[in-house]
Amino acid sequence: MGEMGASQVRKIVVVGAGTMGHGIAQVCAMSGYDVVLIDIKQEILDKAMERIKWSLDKFVQKRRIRPEHAEAALARIKPTITYEGFVEDADFAIEAVVERMDIKKIVFSKLDNLMPEHAILTSNTSSLSITELGRATNRPDKVAGMHFFNPPQLMQLVEVIKGEDTSDETVQAVMELARALGKTPVLCRKDVRGFIVNRVLMPVLLDAFWALHKGEVDKEGVDASMKYDAGFPMGIFELADYIGLDVIYEVGKVMHEAYGARAEPCPMVEELVKAGKLGQKSGAGFYDWSAGRPRIPFEKVGEWDTERSWSVAINEAAWLVHEDVAEPRDIDTAMKLGTGWPQGPCEKADKMGLDKVLNKLKELHAKYGLELYRPCPLLEEYVARGWTGKRAGRGFYTW
């Protein structure tokens, strides 16, 4: 059998039945695929099957699917603690185990040994190298990133990542499968840390963290402005607490390693993590969550310059385009579907005016001296050419 299109996929293996894994298995089963769900402990699998059943029942209650479709989907999932006898005839694998390269490599080499030669192996990693994972197998051309967003049952976005050895046919097949699952895939053409969404999100978080760290703002002022004025679904500090400060701390280390001084972590995050304040899940982070979601007072709108947040996001989007990692349209789709932003950074830039964005970054760079604010050469180049956005008929997009 030659190259594999998604239309030939019948059976999918999902390894890891945790937070994301059980949701991914459910999405595959709801789309009519046979699914093998693998984990190391039977009790993890039992719990995963209960959660899948609960979620399917919810879809039935909301009249999103019929009861018989829910039953059929559940019946298509086979939970197992052994690979042997379950994966030899599968066409596609999605690995969703813990974010540890050593463990993922063991999973990949096991799948590679047992699965048929045409099968494609993907990882739901949000931070590790797809290239390195692929090289733990004898089929690096058939390994790609397939990064779902939480919860996979509801979130539309899938980032598809091409490793250095991934073939174009594999990329096409993964994009096709994502569409067959009812998702919207965006292509990350290079195996860069943070892919698209986390890469654009990090500078926005860092900018606000540094401003708070320097005592220039209070968190409610930032969050009220972002929610009620800029129309973001959550404030920046509220979002950080929701993601988990331990997660931001770990992702921050990965980003710092990859991008150097441009991703200089703010010491505040480490201090909070060391104090056990991890955000919503531990009851406190930047905010106190013990009584539920914090109230962000409306009267503090306007205390934060939201164009500042947009400018650092736009700058990172410019880097992604400059490094040929992603297209403006994919970046915008990713931020709207992956984080619920009201607009994508590239469309926002074209509306704001790239000249205005560039000036804002230069102003911030002059004020703080942080590499975070150094403008991407692409922005400088576009502005020098007069490509300042919508008004000029050309910016990130042609208008």
Side-chain angles (χ1 to χ4, degrees):
M1 189 168 163
E3 286 301 338
M4 182 63 218
S7 51
Q8 285 109 322
V9 175
R10 298 271 175 272
K11 185 171 174 182
I12 299 173
V13 179
V14 178
V15 186
T19 321
M20 297 284 283
H22 80 272
I24 295 168
Q26 181 185 331
V27 168
C28 295
M30 282 170 77
S31 299
Y33 295 95
D34 289 323
V35 181
V36 175
L37 181 58
I38 302 177
D39 211 307
I40 44 175
K41 290 199 179 98
Q42 188 58 47
E43 55 265 37
I44 297 174
L45 290 168
D46 295 342
K47 192 171 163 200
M49 293 306 284
E50 268 167 46
R51 288 161 84 179
I52 291 169
K53 193 174 174 332
W54 178 86
S55 173
L56 287 167
D57 288 344
K58 270 269 185 271
F59 278 114
V60 172
Q61 279 165 27
K62 292 187 173 162
R63 314 217 159 185
R64 300 269 296 274
I65 58 172
R66 303 163 91 95
E68 57 272 26
H69 290 159
E71 274 167 41
L74 194 62
R76 278 194 281 270
I77 304 172
K78 299 278 172 283
T80 168
I81 50 173
T82 57
Y83 290 71
E84 289 80 7
F86 290 91
V87 307
E88 291 83 352
D89 61 344
D91 311 295
F92 200 99
I94 304 167
E95 166 278 313
V97 303
V98 292
E99 287 287 273
R100 274 185 48 192
M101 185 58 90
D102 54 344
I103 297 176
K104 288 188 190 291
K105 279 183 173 169
I106 294 167
V107 170
F108 268 75
S109 106
K110 200 148 183 151
L111 292 169
D112 179 46
N113 288 333
L114 293 170
M115 285 177 76
E117 156 186 345
H118 71 264
I120 288 172
L121 313 180
T122 66
S123 175
N124 178 51
T125 181
S126 56
S127 61
L128 301 172
S129 165
I130 299 302
T131 307
E132 195 179 328
L133 281 172
R135 289 176 186 168
T137 73
N138 295 306
R139 60 179 94 194
D141 58 313
K142 291 193 169 64
V143 173
M146 193 175 190
H147 181 220
F148 289 79
F149 285 72
N150 209 8
Q153 298 93 319
L154 304 176
M155 296 292 275
Q156 274 298 298
L157 187 70
V158 172
E159 289 178 319
V160 175
I161 301 93
K162 186 182 193 315
E164 282 169 40
D165 309 311
T166 314
S167 72
D168 291 339
E169 291 79 7
T170 297
V171 169
Q172 279 324 113
V174 178
M175 300 278 285
E176 254 178 67
L177 180 67
R179 289 189 197 103
L181 296 175
K183 303 300 179 195
T184 304
V186 294
L187 178 59
C188 190
R189 281 197 290 260
K190 291 187 180 164
D191 186 14
V192 294
R193 308 290 47 85
F195 308 139
I196 299 170
V197 173
N198 284 331
R199 229 183 114 164
V200 175
L201 193 57
M202 276 313 272
V204 175
L205 297 174
L206 280 173
D207 169 47
F209 293 170
W210 281 105
L212 183 66
H213 182 63
K214 291 187 158 64
E216 294 173 1
V217 291
D218 63 40
K219 56 187 185 289
E220 291 84 1
V222 173
D223 285 2
S225 307
M226 292 301 280
K227 275 171 85 127
Y228 309 127
D229 179 27
F232 283 74
M234 282 189 186
I236 294 174
F237 294 99
E238 191 184 3
L239 176 66
D241 276 353
Y242 178 75
I243 294 169
L245 303 184
D246 50 341
V247 174
I248 288 171
Y249 176 62
E250 291 304 329
V251 172
K253 281 199 289 202
V254 171
M255 302 299 253
H256 189 215
E257 220 169 279
Y259 306 110
R262 264 181 44 219
E264 182 73 45
C266 180
M268 273 193 106
V269 178
E270 189 176 357
E271 286 159 19
L272 286 164
V273 171
K274 294 222 155 107
K277 294 186 171 182
L278 310 181
Q280 183 187 17
K281 61 182 156 198
S282 71
F286 284 105
Y287 289 101
D288 176 6
W289 290 78
S290 57
R293 192 167 175 171
R295 201 185 71 80
I296 313 292
F298 189 81
E299 52 279 11
K300 297 186 82 68
V301 166
E303 288 185 14
W304 172 252
D305 174 9
T306 58
E307 285 189 349
R308 171 175 170 168
S309 296
W310 276 120
S311 297
V312 292
I314 290 162
N315 197 36
E316 200 58 47
W319 279 106
L320 286 167
V321 176
H322 183 61
E323 292 164 6
D324 195 33
V325 173
E327 300 282 342
R329 183 159 282 109
D330 275 355
I331 298 169
D332 285 351
T333 299
M335 298 318 289
K336 288 187 288 191
L337 296 181
T339 57
W341 281 15
Q343 286 171 291
C346 301
E347 46 186 350
K348 177 67 176 181
D350 281 4
K351 286 183 187 127
M352 260 174 84
L354 273 63
D355 44 348
K356 191 174 176 183
V357 173
L358 185 60
N359 290 336
K360 173 84 55 187
L361 289 164
K362 285 180 167 166
E363 197 184 294
L364 289 163
H365 191 244
K367 181 176 174 185
Y368 297 105
L370 279 172
E371 280 302 300
L372 172 65
Y373 305 112
R374 186 184 292 283
C376 171
L378 185 90
L379 281 179
E380 306 257 16
E381 182 197 321
Y382 280 11
V383 172
R385 288 187 183 178
W387 295 354
T388 52
K390 206 167 178 176
R391 278 195 323 267
R394 167 81 213 251
F396 280 102
Y397 296 99
T398 305
W399 294 86

